[in-house]
Amino acid sequence: MSKKKKVDSRTVARDNQTRFEEANNTKHKEFIARAVRNNQFYAGEQWDKEDKARLDAEGRPALTLNMILSTVNAIIGEQLERKLEVVYRPNDYGDEDTAFALNAITRNILATNNFDDSEEDVFADGLISGRGYYDVRMNFEKNLQGEVQITSEDPIDIIPDGEAKNADPSTWNECFISRWLTLDEIGAEYGWEKVEGLERLVDTNSFNTDDNFEYFEHTFGGADRTSTLDESDSRELRRVRVVERQHYRVSEQFHFVDMVTGNMRPVPYGTSKEERETFAEHYGLDLVKRKGRRVRMTTTADDIVLHDDWSIYRSFTIVPFFAYFRRGHPFGPVDNLIDPQNLLNKTSSQELHIVNTTANSGWVIQEDSLVDMEAEDLEERGAETGLVLQYKRGYEKPDKIQPNQIPTGIDRISQKAAATIREISAVNASMLGTARADQSGRAQEAAVGRGQVQVSVIVSNLKRARRRVGKKVLELVQDFYSETRYFKVTGNSIMAGEERTDDVGINVPEEDGNILNDVTVGDYEVDISFRPSGGTMADQEFEEALRLREMGVAIPDHVIVQHSNLTKRGELAEFLKQSQGFGEPTEEQAALEEMQVEHQINMLRKELEKTDADIEVALATAKEKMAKADSLMGFNQAQMELKRLEQERATKEQELSLRIALAARGHQNQNAMNDKRISSQIAMKSMDMAYTASDKDSSNTTKSNKKGN
């Protein structure tokens, strides 16, 4: 049985190696040669070694006017001003609050992984070599529950599907990741028995190909010993090529199905029967087993299988960025700048050579005619400024040979080469910041805009890659962030006018049995937007706030100050907030306001009592006048005066009731806000205590498991 397993393992390893070599030999070797050349041109190594050696031997210059460097850096500058902002929007049965939580934790994940730095490397790889790659997968080194890890990969190590016609990796059949790892790295990740197998292959010379191994060079201190040893005996492994193949296979797999919307999602690999049934029952989903494409990971080192199983991910971990992609052929802007750059270097070098040769074109002299120097001295010093020649009397004077004129048009060729680089790359002088001093600001802005039209194609492809990164992060969060977690999120509070750090929780169980911000379910769309880098965003927010204020939007003064660049803007914003009534009142202020309200109510009550007394007096007087009235006019006057007093009393009673009701409502709202604030603080402390306790329980469980093992 073990013998059969060994044969099967070697067959898997040989098949994996064969597919890797086929993919590598198809197009990838050509890409490697092109990528190495492009990187050399970007670094300024632009002359062929044989051509440069021949020019040096002839004493001719070999200039390097590296315009590719400035061109690529100008395009990278466009990317640096457009930082990534991922926004998830609920779709179908997604939740708005959960989408907000996903936005917050995604910002936290990107910041933790220093995504801006990784993206700059990927973008530069895409511009120079034509291909850039992210790798998005889970990392369990620092957290047993796992964390999303985003890294940039060397495009030479990644081999995409050679038959792919789409830049989206979900349409590929396979992709390869080739890495050179030390034996310690292989042992730590895949087990030390794999290292022993590799060493056994080398010792017995039973490996598949020697190209998969790198060796240390050893010397044994004497010719006698080295002469008695074979080359294979004196070799020690330094690094081994490890090939990771991610490929799709058709296999049966359980899927969660929402019978209302019809949406399906594969059950994550490794989920037990009880877990998937419990999950389906809790969310009202059905379980359906059907065939479909499923990712499998096969990792080998020569004839040793390091890993071969279904992937824990729903899709490839590789996310590509191609500056340009046309029907399966990715390329970058540097590919089209090689020939113009060569033309610029060679014409400029030839132009300099002509200038150098015309400076000392030579002399015609009669033999032995010079007095103070020999002909050889004149050959060396003939181009010196202020040279004085003395020749013997009776001899012909030395005559300088007239140099050939510089061929007309050679200077135009170099200028044309430089202009061609600008035309092909669409990076003009205004984008480089080298526009003429006499050019107006509007003209420069228009020139920059015209250049950005063509650069926007690259930026659009970058946006596609960013959207794929956002989808991959969402996939990993929904599949692996299934437990309760809390993330620190920093943002600006609009009414408070200050920067605050809050805890955003996901998968938080509530008392009623529901789960707050359950990210494991729901369908969300990924929207990618750009945010300015550095302090530019704060400046734009300040200008936007001023513009809204001018339009009539009642933005408080402390919010305007908070977005300014003042050194003590926080103190000034707090002062304005308190002085203009936006801040929370102190205990003394609240007590004073309560006393003022009670005083107003008491004054109204006294006025009402006085009005009642006046009405009683007026009523008695009116009745007396009505009894004594000898005319209808006197009776009507008395009745009208009585009605006026009664209406005045009703108005004051209504005002008093309204004042009392408003005061009571204000007290209720203030008490409710205080109760809510206290409850929130108690809840946060309780969650922190529960989270700490769960960490301790998890730590104790882990320690007990390790102790038991």
Side-chain angles (χ1 to χ4, degrees), residues 583-602:
E584 296 180 0
T586 61
E587 294 182 359
E588 292 78 5
Q589 292 175 342
L592 181 61
E593 291 178 359
E594 185 176 358
M595 291 177 59
Q596 292 176 349
V597 172
E598 290 180 355
H599 177 70
Q600 292 177 356
I601 293 175
N602 292 332

Side-chain angles (χ1 to χ4, degrees), residues 362-371 373-379 382 387 389-392 395-401:
W363 295 83
V364 176
I365 61 173
Q366 193 173 358
E367 186 178 4
D368 298 330
S369 62
L370 297 178
V371 175
M373 66 174 60
E374 299 293 334
E376 292 78 6
D377 297 331
L378 181 61
E379 181 180 359
L387 178 67
L389 294 177
Q390 293 184 13
Y391 63 96
K392 298 177 182 179
Y395 286 81
E396 296 180 0
K397 69 174 183 180
D399 188 16
K400 188 175 180 64
I401 300 175

Side-chain angles (χ1 to χ4, degrees), residues 653-666:
E653 280 186 347
Q654 186 177 5
E655 182 181 358
L656 178 62
S657 301
L658 182 60
R659 285 290 183 94
I660 295 175
L662 290 175
R665 183 176 300 178

Side-chain angles (χ1 to χ4, degrees), residues 492-548:
N492 288 328
S493 175
I494 296 178
M495 293 307 298
E498 59 186 6
E499 193 173 66
R500 300 175 58 180
T501 300
D502 299 321
D503 286 331
V504 176
I506 59 173
N507 308 320
V508 180
E510 296 181 312
E511 296 180 356
D512 56 1
N514 294 325
I515 298 179
L516 179 65
N517 295 333
D518 189 353
V519 300
T520 61
V521 295
D523 189 13
Y524 299 90
E525 294 180 355
V526 182
D527 189 16
I528 300 299
S529 60
F530 296 132
R531 58 177 174 83
S533 61
T536 308
M537 185 174 183
D539 295 338
Q540 287 192 354
E541 287 186 350
F542 180 70
E543 294 176 0
E544 186 70 13
L546 290 179
R547 189 177 66 84
L548 291 175

Side-chain angles (χ1 to χ4, degrees), residues 256-540:
F256 294 119
V257 182
D258 188 340
M259 301 306 295
V260 178
T261 63
N263 290 328
M264 293 188 301
R265 196 172 80 187
V267 176
Y269 178 73
T271 305
S272 64
K273 179 181 179 182
E274 292 76 12
E275 290 175 342
R276 64 173 179 257
E277 289 179 350
T278 302
F279 185 88
E281 182 179 359
H282 179 77
Y283 291 101
L285 304 175
D286 286 353
L287 283 169
V288 176
K289 192 173 185 180
R290 65 193 299 270
K291 289 185 177 181
R293 298 176 76 215
R294 189 175 180 183
V295 180
R296 190 173 183 87
M297 280 194 177
T298 304
T299 307
T300 59
D302 199 72
D303 279 351
I304 301 298
V305 176
L306 304 179
H307 175 80
D308 182 32
D309 204 345
W310 296 111
S311 174
I312 61 176
Y313 310 112
R314 284 185 266 163
S315 59
F316 294 160
T317 63
I318 293 298
V319 179
F321 161 68
F322 302 129
Y324 300 106
F325 190 89
R326 181 62 183 170
R327 299 302 182 188
H329 177 58
F331 60 96
V334 175
D335 291 320
N336 295 319
L337 301 179
I338 298 298
D339 289 342
Q341 182 66 60
N342 278 328
L343 179 61
L344 176 62
N345 292 339
K346 292 180 179 180
T347 54
S348 300
S349 300
Q350 182 65 16
E351 190 175 355
L352 179 61
H353 173 66
I354 294 174
V355 173
N356 290 338
T357 55
T358 57
N360 188 8
S361 58
W363 295 83
V364 176
I365 61 173
Q366 193 173 358
E367 186 178 4
D368 298 330
S369 62
L370 297 178
V371 175
D372 54 353
M373 66 174 60
E374 299 293 334
E376 292 78 6
D377 297 331
L378 181 61
E379 181 180 359
E380 294 179 0
R381 301 175 54 195
E384 291 183 2
T385 302
L387 178 67
V388 177
L389 294 177
Q390 293 184 13
Y391 63 96
K392 298 177 182 179
R393 188 183 302 273
Y395 286 81
E396 296 180 0
K397 69 174 183 180
D399 188 16
K400 188 175 180 64
I401 300 175
Q402 292 298 323
N404 295 328
Q405 297 296 324
I406 298 178
T408 58
I410 191 171
D411 56 337
R412 299 176 186 173
I413 297 178
S414 60
Q415 296 176 4
K416 184 177 180 180
T420 302
I421 293 177
R422 295 289 175 250
E423 291 176 1
I424 293 177
S425 64
V427 176
N428 50 45
S430 296
M431 296 180 66
L432 293 171
T434 59
R436 300 194 318 270
D438 59 346
Q439 190 176 16
S440 66
R442 290 188 176 182
Q444 292 185 18
E445 291 180 359
V448 172
R450 289 193 297 270
Q452 290 176 341
V453 170
Q454 292 192 39
V455 177
S456 62
V457 177
I458 301 177
V459 175
S460 176
N461 289 330
L462 175 64
K463 188 175 181 180
R464 294 182 183 180
R466 287 173 164 178
R467 182 177 290 107
R468 297 187 187 107
V469 171
K471 290 182 178 179
K472 186 64 182 179
V473 170
L474 176 62
E475 172 196 324
L476 298 183
V477 168
Q478 289 191 324
D479 289 349
F480 293 94
Y481 285 39
S482 56
E483 65 285 335
T484 301
R485 297 194 186 191
Y486 292 91
F487 296 86
K488 294 288 185 182
V489 179
T490 302
N492 288 328
S493 175
I494 296 178
M495 293 307 298
E498 59 186 6
E499 193 173 66
R500 300 175 58 180
T501 300
D502 299 321
D503 286 331
V504 176
I506 59 173
N507 308 320
V508 180
E510 296 181 312
E511 296 180 356
D512 56 1
N514 294 325
I515 298 179
L516 179 65
N517 295 333
D518 189 353
V519 300
T520 61
V521 295
D523 189 13
Y524 299 90
E525 294 180 355
V526 182
D527 189 16
I528 300 299
S529 60
F530 296 132
R531 58 177 174 83
S533 61
T536 308
M537 185 174 183
D539 295 338
Q540 287 192 354

Side-chain angles (χ1 to χ4, degrees), residues 658-695:
L658 182 60
R659 285 290 183 94
I660 295 175
L662 290 175
R665 183 176 300 178
H667 288 306
Q668 291 177 358
N669 292 339
Q670 186 66 31
N671 294 334
M673 290 177 63
N674 293 334
D675 294 341
K676 187 175 182 180
R677 189 182 302 108
I678 295 173
S679 300
S680 176
Q681 293 175 355
I682 295 175
M684 290 299 297
K685 290 183 179 179
S686 301
M687 287 192 297
D688 290 340
M689 294 175 62
Y691 190 57
T692 305
S694 65
D695 283 347

